[in-house]
């Protein structure tokens, strides 16, 4: 790994070493290594718009494959849910390489939704996840509204799918994704069309690359969305100064990792104050403290993505860390922290389910 990526590793280590458990206050991933029995009576269950989660930690789409790539490190049934790799109606080869590049405290990616298509997912991957008892959220992306509708119809008939995440915000394909995600009207049309063909909970994943994300979230709510997922990656690029050309084959890519956390946290806070839907929040989570911050900003559940590339067992440590934080603060349910920061200034706020 290069020096910039090592900076992310150092950031994780610092996050995990903030003092002793009880003495560190909110500070810590220190909760991750604490006594597992301490939180035995804590209730970690949350309801994400009709998706029942045993704990609030969700593996983000695109960073956890189909749930088995981390087998032996993180079992798919132990996390709250697995958002599987982004799936399209037909197979896609993805973008031309290079597809990834280091960035300060983060990662640029331009994968381009490489995947075997919806039929292969339902036939080959979903049965394995179902057998393991994993909670599966299917992430779908399309070039037209009809693409989303056709995939939702197929998933409605597929046993083992708990919900649908609509990828309307992926910044590294040249066609539909970005176009849909930046326009409240387009997001409204997709959500409404999908809701008409499925009873599964529907959760659009919104792009931060917009002028007013609150307007987009409200459009999704008005169209009947059951929850909101945010944020997707921030659009960025890198340049090779020796070759005098962009590093990524697709020129632009999505920035993820700790570098985007302050932006993601602000967006979750703003949207949580403005809509009446539960939020799956994430962006740069590297420890339990980060996850708790997102929940206090209004997220009902949190998604972990790039952090798993640094520390494959991060999700398990975050679950343990949240449990121990709650026990140390005499809180019996994780739902007690949802929106806690908002309630400091708005006593009328209530956590959404």
């Amino acid at each position: 790994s290069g020096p910039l990526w090592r900076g992310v590793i150092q950031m994780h280590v610092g996050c995990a070493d903030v003092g002793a458990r009880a003495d560190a206050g909110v500070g810590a991933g220190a909760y991750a290594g604490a006594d597992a029995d301490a939180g035995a009576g804590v209730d970690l269950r949350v309801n994400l718009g009709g998706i029942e989660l045993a704990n609030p930690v969700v593996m983000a789409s695109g960073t956890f494959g189909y749930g088995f790539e981390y087998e032996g490190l993180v079992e798919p049934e132990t996390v709250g849910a697995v958002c599987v790799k982004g799936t399209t109606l037909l197979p896609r080869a993805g973008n031309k390489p290079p597809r990834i590049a280091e960035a300060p405290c983060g990662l640029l990616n331009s994968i381009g939704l490489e995947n075997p298509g919806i039929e292969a997912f339902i036939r080959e991957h979903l049965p394995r996840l179902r057998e393991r008892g994993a909670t599966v959220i299917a992430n779908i992306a399309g070039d037209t509204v009809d693409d989303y509708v056709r995939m939702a119809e197929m998933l409605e008939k597929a046993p083992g799918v708990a919900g649908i995440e609509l990828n309307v915000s992926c910044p590294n394909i040249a066609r539909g994704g970005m176009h849909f995600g930046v326009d409240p009207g387009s997001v409204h049309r997709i959500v409404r069309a999908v809701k008409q063909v499925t009873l599964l909970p529907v959760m659009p994943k919104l792009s931060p690359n917009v002028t007013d994300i609150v307007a987009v979230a409200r459009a999704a709510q008005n169209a009947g969305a059951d929850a909101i997922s945010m944020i997707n990656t921030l659009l960025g690029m890198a340049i090779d100064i020796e070759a005098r050309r962009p590093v990524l084959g697709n020129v632009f890519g999505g920035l993820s990792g700790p570098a985007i956390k302050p932006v993601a946290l602000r967006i979750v806070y703003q949207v949580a104050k403005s809509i009446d839907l539960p939020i799956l929040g994430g962006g740069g989570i590297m420890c339990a403290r980060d996850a708790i911050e997102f929940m206090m900003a209004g997220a009902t559940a949190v998604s972990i993505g790039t952090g798993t590339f640094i520390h494959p067992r991060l999700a398990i440590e975050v679950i343990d860390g949240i449990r121990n934080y709650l026990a140390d603060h005499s809180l019996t349910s994780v739902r007690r922290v949802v929106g806690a920061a908002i309630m400091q200034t708005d006593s009328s706020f209530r956590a959404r389910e």
Side-chain angles (χ1 to χ4, degrees):
S1 62
L4 298 179
W5 200 235
R6 283 199 296 272
V8 181
I9 296 174
Q10 291 165 359
M11 192 172 213
H12 169 70
V13 171
C15 193
D17 287 344
V18 186
R21 186 176 143 225
D23 296 334
V26 180
Y31 290 109
D35 181 5
D37 294 334
V42 171
D43 184 2
L44 294 182
R45 294 173 299 170
V46 295
N47 185 305
L48 185 63
I51 306 173
E52 295 287 348
L53 306 181
N55 63 70
V57 175
V58 176
M59 306 311 297
S61 176
T63 61
F64 201 65
Y66 294 103
F68 295 97
E69 287 79 353
Y70 286 78
E71 198 162 19
L73 295 167
V74 179
E75 307 306 329
E77 67 273 17
T78 61
V79 296
V82 174
C83 280
V84 297
K85 183 174 175 59
T87 303
T88 51
L89 188 61
L90 300 175
R92 282 194 184 179
N95 291 333
K96 61 182 180 181
R99 293 180 173 185
I100 60 172
E102 296 183 33
C105 290
L107 178 72
L108 282 166
N109 90 84
S110 178
I111 306 302
L113 293 172
E114 178 185 354
N115 76 97
I118 188 72
E119 291 184 354
F121 164 67
I122 292 174
R123 182 180 63 251
E124 299 171 12
H125 301 291
L126 184 57
R128 294 183 64 198
L129 288 165
R130 185 171 62 241
E131 290 171 5
R132 292 289 292 270
T135 299
V136 179
I137 299 174
N139 177 292
I140 60 174
D143 292 326
T144 66
V145 173
D146 186 59
D147 283 354
Y148 289 95
V149 169
R150 290 173 64 186
M151 285 187 284
E153 289 175 328
M154 297 170 71
L155 292 169
E156 171 71 19
K157 302 173 185 176
V161 177
I164 299 174
E165 183 178 59
L166 303 175
N167 183 354
V168 298
S169 55
C170 191
N172 52 19
I173 55 176
R175 293 174 290 173
M178 179 60 89
H179 168 74
F180 290 129
V182 300
D183 176 39
S186 295
V187 172
H188 185 280
R189 285 190 290 275
I190 293 171
V191 173
R192 183 178 59 184
V194 169
K195 286 294 293 181
Q196 288 175 346
V197 298
T198 182
L199 296 176
L200 291 169
V202 173
M203 175 173 61
K205 186 169 187 177
L206 302 187
S207 170
N209 304 301
V210 296
T211 303
D212 185 358
I213 197 168
V214 171
V216 180
R218 284 176 174 157
Q221 175 176 283
N222 293 338
D226 299 284
I228 299 290
S229 174
M230 62 178 68
I231 64 173
N232 209 321
T233 53
L234 289 159
L235 192 61
M237 71 177 296
I239 293 176
D240 183 334
I241 62 172
E242 301 301 330
R244 302 185 182 185
R245 60 183 299 169
V247 172
L248 296 174
N250 199 51
V251 181
F252 303 130
L255 176 65
S256 61
I260 74 169
K261 182 197 156 193
V263 176
L265 199 62
R266 182 264 300 173
I267 289 174
V268 168
Y269 184 90
Q270 285 183 312
V271 172
K273 290 182 64 175
S274 305
I275 65 172
D276 296 318
L277 294 177
I279 293 171
L280 173 60
I285 292 176
M286 294 295 293
C287 61
R289 174 181 180 146
D290 292 340
I292 294 165
E293 284 189 68
F294 272 95
M295 298 192 77
M296 288 186 174
T300 296
V302 296
S303 59
I304 294 179
T306 302
T308 59
F309 298 153
I310 306 296
H311 182 41
R313 285 185 55 80
L314 177 60
I316 302 304
E317 291 193 1
V318 169
I319 294 169
D320 289 342
I322 293 172
R323 180 185 293 111
N324 290 321
Y325 171 84
L326 296 172
D328 283 350
H329 291 76
S330 301
L331 298 172
T332 58
S333 171
V334 71
R335 296 184 292 277
R336 294 283 301 278
V337 305
V338 176
I342 299 176
M343 294 177 195
Q344 293 294 322
T345 57
D346 182 2
S347 60
S348 66
F349 178 83
R350 294 292 180 270
R352 279 62 161 163
E353 291 192 357

